[in-house]
Amino acid sequence: MKDIIQCSGGVFLPHMPRTYKNKRIVISCPEDLPRCRPARSARLPIASTEFLLTGILQQALDLPPYRLDGPPAPHPPSAPAPATRASKGKGASGPAPAPPGSAKRRR
């Protein structure tokens, strides 16, 4: 799993994390849940290996179906995300442009 995590852009942690950090997820199996007590105490999500493998194949993360530790627990508040250009409030102006190839050609 270490190689899969690193090849997909993740960071493998050699020891069980004991503190909450945003975007940190513990990958485990039901048999090893007792060994995840430090992560559970830190309210880190614990997911099955299928979460990682399915996420890589589909290029999308969907944590709830693969959680091993039950419903999400509230976690410490984090700093608000900085505003991006898309969220600065310049709403859409007019209809969306037609995709290439669908517009009629005029002669």
Side-chain angles (χ1 to χ4, degrees), residues 40-106:
R40 292 179 101 176
S41 295
R43 291 186 168 85
L44 286 168
I46 302 171
S48 71
T49 55
E50 287 300 312
F51 164 74
L52 181 64
L53 299 173
T54 303
I56 292 169
L57 288 173
Q58 295 179 351
Q59 294 293 297
L61 296 179
D62 187 21
L63 182 60
Y66 302 103
R67 283 189 79 113
L68 295 176
D69 59 341
H75 48 75
S78 58
T84 61
R85 289 182 183 251
S87 65
K88 294 244 178 176
K90 290 188 177 183
S93 58
S102 65
K104 293 183 179 179
R105 289 188 172 182
R106 295 183 188 238

Side-chain angles (χ1 to χ4, degrees), residues 1-92:
M1 291 306 288
K2 177 182 177 181
D3 291 337
I4 294 172
I5 291 168
Q6 291 175 335
C7 288
S8 62
V11 176
F12 177 82
L13 301 176
H15 302 287
M16 181 66 65
R18 297 178 181 275
T19 59
Y20 178 84
K21 285 194 178 175
N22 199 18
K23 297 184 181 181
R24 184 180 281 179
I25 298 172
V26 174
I27 304 297
S28 188
C29 61
E31 295 81 19
D32 288 342
L33 276 178
R35 299 177 78 189
C36 298
R37 283 191 188 120
R40 292 179 101 176
S41 295
R43 291 186 168 85
L44 286 168
I46 302 171
S48 71
T49 55
E50 287 300 312
F51 164 74
L52 181 64
L53 299 173
T54 303
I56 292 169
L57 288 173
Q58 295 179 351
Q59 294 293 297
L61 296 179
D62 187 21
L63 182 60
Y66 302 103
R67 283 189 79 113
L68 295 176
D69 59 341
H75 48 75
S78 58
T84 61
R85 289 182 183 251
S87 65
K88 294 244 178 176
K90 290 188 177 183

